[in-house]
Amino acid sequence: MDLRIFTEPQQGASYDTLLTVAKATEALGFDAFFRSDHYLHMGDVDGLPGPTDAWITLAGLARETRRIRLGTLMTAATFRLPGVLAIQVAQVDQMSGGRVELGLGAGWFEEEHRAYGIPFPKEKFARLEEQLEIVTGLWETPVGETFGYDGAHYQLTDSPALPKPGNRVPVLIGGHGATRTPRLAARFADEFNMPFASVADSVRQFGRVREAAEAAGRKGDDLVYSNALVACVGNDAEVARRAVAIGREVEELRENGLAGSPAEVVDKIGRYAEAGASRIYLQILDLDDLDHLELISSQVQAQLG
């Protein structure tokens, strides 16, 4: 079971804070550092000092880390033109020595679009599908050849399809949708991520994705299956303190996330493994609590091998 650290910087984090967490992620033996791609905080927080851009952040971290994978859960297709996104991700992948992964989603948070003047189209899923076709098409075009695309939302003419990533960039797709999301994952994804869902819901959605993959001529096991879950680990007093720090209730965290003693968390991760997950993204909301990461590394990750 791979454990990855997943952060939500829009809730309030500077680049320096993210760098500290990324370096701890690497030093403590976690597999990857991922971040959300949002420009506006959510809930009862001030979001200070303000948002950081996902791909600018990852570019900086690419030069400051050596081993961990780096990526997004999920980049919003509404934020960037697909040609520009392909260039950005390829460049950051080169800067990292081939350690980047692209999680790409349709975009959903209308308030952040209004706050920063970003168009929020009514039809987002069709745009996401075209973006996936374009980004992967640009990367897969042989050097010396050109790429063209004539879609309903995007048109590219005689693109040199450069630069190329340092390595093949894995594409992550995720979500709860019962029909279109599995179909899209079957076409484009190397990994399917089920965010903030129960074991039972994960079993159902992983099954849908496997069926869609097989219908598309792929093996169901061609994809990695993963979950993203909030983490709040420790003894009773530590869990209570950490729950207060992130504005959540202990029982709600136990029900919906990975909360409790290391043994309890290992047991629950085992249930997700039985559902088909081989990777867990640990949503860490208090980025100043590095002791939390150390505890998870020494008492949870160590038990998972």
Side-chain angles (χ1 to χ4, degrees):
M1 176 67 73
D2 291 335
L3 294 187
R4 295 182 159 191
I5 300 303
F6 169 44
T7 63
E8 302 271 9
Q10 77 279 354
Q11 300 301 90
S14 67
Y15 171 75
D16 286 340
T17 297
L18 296 172
L19 175 60
T20 298
V21 174
K23 286 186 171 181
T25 297
E26 186 158 83
L28 292 169
F30 293 104
D31 182 59
F33 174 94
F34 270 58
R35 60 156 292 163
S36 59
D37 192 3
H38 286 293
Y39 292 128
L40 192 67
H41 66 82
M42 303 168 198
D44 190 21
V45 297
D46 56 26
L48 294 175
T52 50
D53 181 83
W55 287 100
I56 291 176
T57 297
L58 295 176
L61 299 181
R63 307 302 291 177
E64 298 282 354
T65 57
R66 294 292 175 266
R67 178 189 59 81
I68 51 174
R69 308 288 298 177
L70 300 166
T72 51
L73 283 181
M74 300 282 188
T75 286
T78 50
F79 287 174
R80 296 167 180 88
L81 297 172
V84 174
L85 180 61
I87 291 169
Q88 290 173 319
V89 177
Q91 183 177 3
V92 177
D93 191 63
Q94 290 176 358
M95 293 167 71
S96 73
R99 293 182 285 123
V100 160
E101 304 185 10
L102 171 63
L104 188 60
W108 61 271
F109 190 19
E110 186 172 3
E111 289 180 43
E112 70 186 334
H113 292 74
R114 291 201 304 266
Y116 286 96
I118 303 167
F120 189 71
K122 182 177 180 180
E123 178 47 72
K124 294 179 289 299
F125 201 89
R127 290 173 182 269
L128 171 61
E129 186 165 7
E130 289 194 12
Q131 288 221 0
L132 286 162
E133 290 174 342
I134 292 166
V135 171
T136 57
L138 288 167
W139 290 340
E140 292 167 0
T141 299
V143 174
E145 298 184 15
T146 60
F147 175 82
Y149 186 84
D150 185 17
H153 304 287
Y154 305 103
Q155 295 81 39
L156 285 74
T157 303
D158 295 330
S159 172
L162 297 171
K164 303 299 185 191
N167 285 316
R168 185 180 180 280
V169 174
V171 172
L172 288 73
I173 293 172
H176 296 252
T179 304
R180 293 192 299 177
T181 296
R183 177 180 59 79
L184 212 57
R187 285 188 62 195
F188 297 105
D190 298 279
E191 177 178 339
F192 180 79
N193 180 262
M194 187 62 168
F196 312 113
S198 68
V199 172
D201 286 344
S202 298
V203 168
R204 282 190 288 272
Q205 189 69 336
F206 291 164
R208 293 180 185 124
V209 174
R210 288 178 180 278
E211 290 175 3
E214 291 166 3
R218 300 175 66 182
K219 294 180 180 178
D221 288 340
D222 284 349
L223 285 80
V224 172
Y225 296 88
S226 63
N227 288 91
L229 295 158
V230 63
C232 187
V233 187
N235 61 35
D236 288 347
E238 289 170 331
V239 169
R241 171 173 58 80
R242 289 180 170 130
V244 169
I246 62 175
R248 302 279 285 270
E249 298 291 333
V250 171
E251 289 310 310
E252 179 268 321
L253 289 168
R254 288 182 183 275
E255 177 69 22
N256 298 313
L258 297 174
S261 69
E264 289 174 310
V265 169
V266 168
D267 179 71
K268 192 164 187 181
I269 288 174
R271 281 179 263 157
Y272 280 96
E274 291 173 357
S278 60
R279 182 172 291 159
I280 301 289
Y281 292 82
L282 302 170
Q283 185 193 45
I284 303 296
L285 296 175
D286 183 356
L287 299 182
D288 295 318
D289 187 1
L290 297 183
D291 290 342
H292 195 197
L293 296 184
E294 293 175 4
L295 175 68
I296 295 170
S297 173
S298 65
Q299 297 193 37
V300 175
Q301 183 170 240
Q303 294 189 56
L304 296 171

